[in-house]
Amino acid sequence: MTASDLRALHHGRTVGDPLVLPGPWDADSARVLADAGFPALATPSAGVAASLGYEDGATPAAEMFAAVARIARAVSVPVSADIEAGYGLAPRELVERLLAAGAVGCNLEDTVDGVLVDARWQADRLAEVRAAAGDALFVNARVDTYVTGVPEGTDQEAETVRRALLYVAAGADCVYPIGAPAESLPRLAAAVPAPLNALARPDGPGPRRLGELGAGRVTFGPGLQRRAMAALREFADGLRGA
């Protein structure tokens, strides 16, 4: 499967029917999700980190790419990889490692070491990634204004839109304002000329509702991995009491 296949899945969707991309954290979970009929998958960096024994954000680049490769090898559907802020790799090397791992898409976030980076700097980086990848990668630009925060006195929604427009102009295929409140999604979707990725949370609106609010794509972050671990914990507690 190619980036073109993944790109096509994002377009021509009706309101309330977003592309739902569950997040596998290893090869076995990827097989389960692909066998369930999902047309593409999106790895969560935090879920993969947990499966490898690391805190979120602490996975060495080599181990993350190796995990992505195992996941991509296990399924026949397109796989997009969450590669955080890119591990300090130059754009060309980053693209080469993604493609070598079998990924046809990626998330790139605009937080480095807990700090929201300059939007124009991030846009330039995205443009370099796009130039190095051509059409071989579907680039999902994560906007961290709601999770990292914005400077005091800055309008959060306006800054999200500003960043999103810069990233789309730089070549991003999709924009991911992670953590954006549901009530902001219609305005964000109307302002940004690219599919909008929304994060589905256990206590928030489901994928269909997020689609009705403007999301063209819905992902879950590490939610599925954490839910699986909670089920295992409950099972283990039951065994102790059996």
Side-chain angles (χ1 to χ4, degrees), residues 33-169:
L33 295 169
D35 289 346
F38 290 98
L41 305 174
T43 70
S45 62
V48 173
S51 75
L52 296 174
Y54 293 101
E55 295 294 322
D56 185 21
T59 309
E63 292 198 44
M64 183 62 75
F65 285 113
V68 170
R70 288 191 292 271
I71 289 168
R73 212 166 39 234
V75 296
S76 59
V77 300
V79 172
S80 181
D82 181 352
I83 51 169
E84 304 175 278
Y87 308 110
L89 299 172
R92 182 164 296 280
E93 183 180 357
L94 188 62
V95 169
E96 289 173 351
R97 294 183 73 167
L98 279 164
L99 296 179
V104 298
C106 68
N107 279 11
L108 268 175
E109 63 192 53
D110 57 3
T111 295
V112 176
D113 296 330
V115 178
L116 199 64
V117 301
D118 178 78
R120 293 191 181 278
W121 181 91
Q122 180 71 355
D124 288 344
R125 181 165 167 76
L126 288 166
E128 291 181 49
V129 169
R130 171 55 67 215
D135 291 333
L137 279 179
F138 182 96
V139 178
N140 187 27
R142 204 177 95 172
V143 183
D144 284 2
T145 44
Y146 290 98
V147 292
T148 303
V150 296
E152 188 176 351
T154 300
D155 184 294
Q156 205 164 31
E157 192 171 297
E159 178 62 9
T160 301
V161 170
R162 184 181 78 89
R163 286 174 174 266
L165 292 176
L166 285 170
Y167 300 165
V168 172

